[in-house]
Amino acid sequence: EEQLLESGGGLVQPGGSLRLSCAASGFTFSSYAMSWVRQAPGKGLEWVSGISGSGGSTYYADSVKGRFTISRDNSKNTLYLQMNSLRAEDTAVYYCAKDNVPGIAAAAGFEPWGQGTLVTVSS
Amino acid sequence: DIQMTQSPSSLSASVGDRVTITCRASQSISSYLNWYQQKPGKAPQLLIYTASSLQSGVPSRFSGSGSGTDFTLTISSLQPEDFATYYCQQSYSTPWTFGQGTKLEIK
């Protein structure tokens, strides 16, 4: 069974940093692009960042470009999101999600998703 | 960025009803359109990918259609477990964008 387990969320002050991790199991991690998607309290879904299976290509939403960095360690089957210069509007549940099929990034959607980790940016 | 607009934003229906949710893209996205179901406090789950392909394990009462800019998700006969929020998402170009969601409630 394919599984994703996020960790690293918590309360951080504006301007602070946080690193999220997503441990993957049940599939060949390096064969699949991965993404981070967030959901602010009571709001809809917002794609944040994506990375190819090799890690050689990365993609970001404009709202986080220059502040967040996505990376992966295929030897550890783990995806990361380094979040710097955090703002109140970054408060959300952050999900990691696997590309449904290998190949063209995100072409067939995201599945499965992790259970999410809550990031709260507040003083 | 490609904007995705769902309608309606909310919908009340009864068990056994046929329900259709629409999603419109601000430009053509070919068939790169996916549908998700999300229940309160849970992660989204993929229902339909590339507009009309049923994800493995998803009941056949769910179906999708469309191409270009206009797409639909249809639930042929609502079951109690289908009351949830549904999102469309384009995977044609980054940034991948989602619709605002359609909340399906029990009448």
Side-chain angles (χ1 to χ4, degrees):
Chain A
E1 181 189 3
E2 298 179 345
Q3 288 191 328
L4 300 170
L5 184 63
E6 301 96 337
S7 60
L11 175 63
V12 61
Q13 292 187 337
S17 298
L18 212 54
R19 188 200 201 198
L20 305 183
S21 299
C22 172
S25 60
F27 63 97
T28 304
F29 184 65
S30 60
S31 295
Y32 292 86
M34 300 288 295
S35 281
W36 289 97
V37 179
R38 68 185 180 184
Q39 187 169 35
K43 303 298 184 182
L45 301 169
E46 180 190 16
W47 175 81
V48 171
S49 182
I51 187 168
S52 63
S54 67
S57 297
T58 57
Y59 315 89
Y60 297 95
D62 285 346
S63 58
V64 306
K65 199 172 294 182
R67 300 188 299 123
F68 290 11
T69 302
I70 191 171
S71 63
R72 63 192 297 160
D73 185 336
N74 287 344
S75 69
K76 296 183 178 179
N77 289 352
T78 303
L79 176 72
Y80 302 101
L81 186 67
Q82 177 67 43
M83 304 185 295
N84 299 331
S85 303
L86 282 161
R87 307 166 179 167
E89 54 265 35
D90 295 319
T91 294
V93 173
Y94 284 73
Y95 296 101
C96 66
K98 166 187 161 290
D99 267 21
N100 187 30
V101 298
I104 300 174
F110 305 124
E111 183 66 19
W113 300 52
Q115 86 290 348
T117 187
L118 177 62
V119 172
T120 303
V121 184
S122 175
S123 54
Chain B
D1 298 1
I2 299 174
Q3 307 304 317
M4 306 301 295
T5 304
Q6 289 180 232
S7 61
S9 295
S10 64
L11 175 60
S12 294
S14 301
V15 172
D17 284 353
R18 180 183 180 90
V19 166
T20 297
I21 298 169
T22 65
C23 180
R24 175 164 289 176
S26 60
Q27 66 182 73
S28 177
I29 58 171
S30 184
S31 295
Y32 291 100
L33 190 283
N34 311 301
W35 289 98
Y36 300 86
Q37 177 193 70
Q38 186 179 34
K39 296 181 179 179
K42 300 295 187 181
Q45 289 190 300
L46 182 66
L47 298 174
I48 302 287
Y49 61 95
T50 54
S52 60
S53 296
L54 188 68
Q55 177 68 3
S56 176
V58 174
S60 59
R61 62 181 179 273
F62 292 92
S63 64
S65 65
S67 66
T69 60
D70 294 314
F71 302 85
T72 61
L73 172 70
T74 300
I75 310 172
S76 60
S77 179
L78 273 174
Q79 298 302 300
E81 61 268 28
D82 299 338
F83 292 94
T85 300
Y86 293 85
Y87 294 92
C88 64
Q89 175 242 333
Q90 65 84 15
S91 50
Y92 181 78
S93 66
T94 58
W96 319 127
T97 45
F98 292 85
Q100 81 279 13
T102 296
K103 187 173 184 179
L104 180 52
E105 298 174 306
I106 301 174
K107 185 182 287 184

